[in-house]
């Protein structure tokens, strides 16, 4: 639509609404989501994001209240919980506005200065932050095992640090900074979107009438579908199709990148752990058990992430095609509304409360540099055994060597 359209054109479109809605079943108006379907998606998003807010908030509050934020076992989980808590909070606000406000009479469509476009930009930025922090967690695990590989023969000289090395502070800064930049870009694009009928005053009744008659409620920016609405929702925006593609890619590209990099990093973690174990010679019972537990943990971390976001990846890719219709993929929208916002509570379980080392760090009263914790921290990122198992491994290895020497003699 050209931005030279005038008010008479709006009147023409408004008068033809009834005719358009009575067209054959093949027309677009017969493929819109029903009001019940939209409410179902919004309620599910509200409930699941509420659960995630509670779960991530429990990790955040415990770490702050017990003053354990700078403990190595807590530090990465604390950052992840904060990101999950922020994303859940703003998604709750956006979903609540959609459910409680007369959406069709408010300026919350693409190209309008309503608050929901800004809220969805913040939600997208917060979820992208959570994506990057899952990579940060995997990097911490990798670097700690690498450090253990180097310091295997100097266990008594090892010190406890908040992060595995100084470069990780830069990684945390980048992990926080990039999503803020993405969110700023989304806000700028949203703020600078020029309605093709910008010659109509924003407070004009014709302006509201135009939006009511030509855009359905599913086009509202308050509708929590992570920008995966249809192109016709952007028809009143100058270069709307291009803007819509850019906004979706800002969400999809980091998500796909994290899926691939996380898998690579945990494969490297398993490889380094194997090298650490082999440097001692024979694999002991505890080492084999820890290796199996490491693989299970890596599979669990990856499984949770894919469970939450694979539906969004599929939906986002499908939405790039011109034949995409939200009504046709209502079932996938429901799955996304259930599992996407659940990331917060699932992360709080698998990265937090399910890990023995995390719970032990919250309950511990000794100094951060306690020698009993030094070896345990090497395992902490994958919930493995404590220093006692390490000592058992060394004793078992020593006894096996002695028996082997006795047999040869």
């Amino acid at each position: 639509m050209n931005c030279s359209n005038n008010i008479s054109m709006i009147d023409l479109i408004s008068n033809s609404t009834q005719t358009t809605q009575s067209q054959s079943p093949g027309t677009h108006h017969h493929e819109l989501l029903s009001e019940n379907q939209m409410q179902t998606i919004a309620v599910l998003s509200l409930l699941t994001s509420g659960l995630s807010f509670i779960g991530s908030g429990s990790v955040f509050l415990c770490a702050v209240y017990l003053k354990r934020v700078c403990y190595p076992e807590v530090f990465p989980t604390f950052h992840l919980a904060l990101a999950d808590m922020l994303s859940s909070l703003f998604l709750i606000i956006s979903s609540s506005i959609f459910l409680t406000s007369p959406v069709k009479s408010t300026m919350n469509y693409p190209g309008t200065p309503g608050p929901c476009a800004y809220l969805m930009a913040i939600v997208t930025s917060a979820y992208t932050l959570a994506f990057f922090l899952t990579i940060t967690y995997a990097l911490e695990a990798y670097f700690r095992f690498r450090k253990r590989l180097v310091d295997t023969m100097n266990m008594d000289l090892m010190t406890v640090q908040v992060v595995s090395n100084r470069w990780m502070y830069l990684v945390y800064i980048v992990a926080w900074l990039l999503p803020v930049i993405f969110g700023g870009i989304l806000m700028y694009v949203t703020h600078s979107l020029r309605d093709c009928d910008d010659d109509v005053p924003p407070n004009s009744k014709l302006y509201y009438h135009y939006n009511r008659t030509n855009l359905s409620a599913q086009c509202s920016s308050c509708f929590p579908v992570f920008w995966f609405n249809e192109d016709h929702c952007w028809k009143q925006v100058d270069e709307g199709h291009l803007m819509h593609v850019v906004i979706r890619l800002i969400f999809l590209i980091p998500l796909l990148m994290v899926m691939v990099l996380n898998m690579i990093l945990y494969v490297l973690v398993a490889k380094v752990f194997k090298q650490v174990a082999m440097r001692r010679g024979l694999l002991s019972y505890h080492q084999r058990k820890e290796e199996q537990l490491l693989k299970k943990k890596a599979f669990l971390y990856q499984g949770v992430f894919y469970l939450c976001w694979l539906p969004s990846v599929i939906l986002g890719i499908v939405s790039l095609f011109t034949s995409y219709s939200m009504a046709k993929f209502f079932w996938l929208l429901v799955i996304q509304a259930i599992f996407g916002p659940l990331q917060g509570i699932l992360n709080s379980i698998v990265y937090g409360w399910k890990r023995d080392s995390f719970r032990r760090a919250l309950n511990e009263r000794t100094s951060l540099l306690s020698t009993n914790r030094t070896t345990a921290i090497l395992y902490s990122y994958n919930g493995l055994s404590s220093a006692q198992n390490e000592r058992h491994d060394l004793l078992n290895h020593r006894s096996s060597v002695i028996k082997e020497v006795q047999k040869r003699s």
Side-chain angles (χ1 to χ4, degrees), residues 17-221:
T17 302
Q18 297 296 328
T19 304
T20 307
Q21 290 180 341
S22 61
Q23 290 175 352
S24 62
T27 60
H28 187 80
H29 286 277
H30 291 271
E31 297 180 353
L32 298 177
L33 293 172
S34 67
E35 184 176 352
N36 288 336
Q37 289 176 325
M38 288 185 286
Q39 288 181 351
T40 298
I41 293 173
V43 169
L44 287 174
S45 295
L46 183 64
L47 293 175
T48 51
S49 57
L51 290 174
S52 287
F53 182 79
I54 295 172
S56 57
S58 66
V59 172
F60 175 83
L61 291 176
C62 286
V64 173
Y65 179 77
L66 297 174
K67 299 179 181 180
R68 299 292 194 269
V69 174
C70 291
Y71 275 44
E73 304 93 330
V74 179
F75 190 72
T77 306
F78 169 81
H79 281 264
L80 186 58
L82 179 57
D84 288 331
M85 192 169 63
L86 291 174
S87 57
S88 299
L89 174 62
F90 286 105
L91 186 58
I92 288 171
I93 297 174
S94 179
S95 301
S96 299
I97 293 176
F98 183 82
L99 289 170
T100 60
S101 300
V103 180
K104 290 189 178 182
S105 64
T106 58
M107 299 172 65
N108 281 311
Y109 293 98
T112 61
C116 282
Y118 298 96
L119 283 173
M120 287 308 295
I122 297 174
V123 169
T124 303
S125 177
Y127 275 115
T128 304
L129 170 62
F131 300 160
F132 288 156
L133 287 174
T134 57
I135 291 183
T136 304
Y137 190 99
L139 276 173
E140 283 277 24
Y142 174 71
F143 284 131
R144 288 195 183 278
F145 275 105
R146 287 286 300 177
K147 184 177 180 180
R148 184 169 186 257
L149 180 62
V150 174
D151 298 336
T152 301
M153 306 307 297
N154 301 304
M155 297 293 292
D156 295 334
L157 300 178
M158 294 175 59
T159 59
V160 177
Q161 298 178 349
V162 177
V163 294
S164 55
N165 60 59
R166 293 181 179 179
W167 287 105
M168 285 304 301
Y169 287 112
L170 178 61
V171 174
Y172 277 101
I173 293 174
V174 172
W176 277 90
L177 187 59
L178 280 181
V180 172
I181 294 174
F182 292 158
I185 293 173
L186 288 175
M187 286 188 179
Y188 175 78
V189 170
T190 302
H191 180 72
S192 61
L193 286 178
R194 188 161 56 98
D195 195 289
C196 288
D197 296 288
D198 56 2
D199 55 326
V200 181
N203 59 352
S204 170
K205 291 183 179 180
L206 282 175
Y207 186 88
Y208 289 115
H209 184 62
Y210 172 77
N211 281 300
R212 284 201 306 268
T213 56
N214 290 275
L215 293 176
S216 65
Q218 72 185 37
C219 294
S220 170
S221 300

Side-chain angles (χ1 to χ4, degrees), residues 303-356:
V304 165
F305 194 82
Y306 275 82
L307 175 67
C308 291
W309 296 112
L310 189 58
S312 292
V313 170
I314 298 173
L315 189 62
I317 294 175
V318 170
S319 69
L320 296 174
F321 294 92
T322 56
S323 60
Y324 169 71
S325 169
M326 296 176 73
K328 291 181 180 178
F329 291 93
F330 170 70
W331 60 275
L332 194 54
L333 290 169
V334 170
I335 294 176
Q336 183 204 44
I338 295 173
F339 290 106
L342 275 180
Q343 172 184 262
I345 189 170
L346 293 178
N347 282 347
S348 68
I349 294 173
V350 299
Y351 290 100
W353 303 118
K354 189 176 176 62
R355 285 174 48 225
D356 292 336

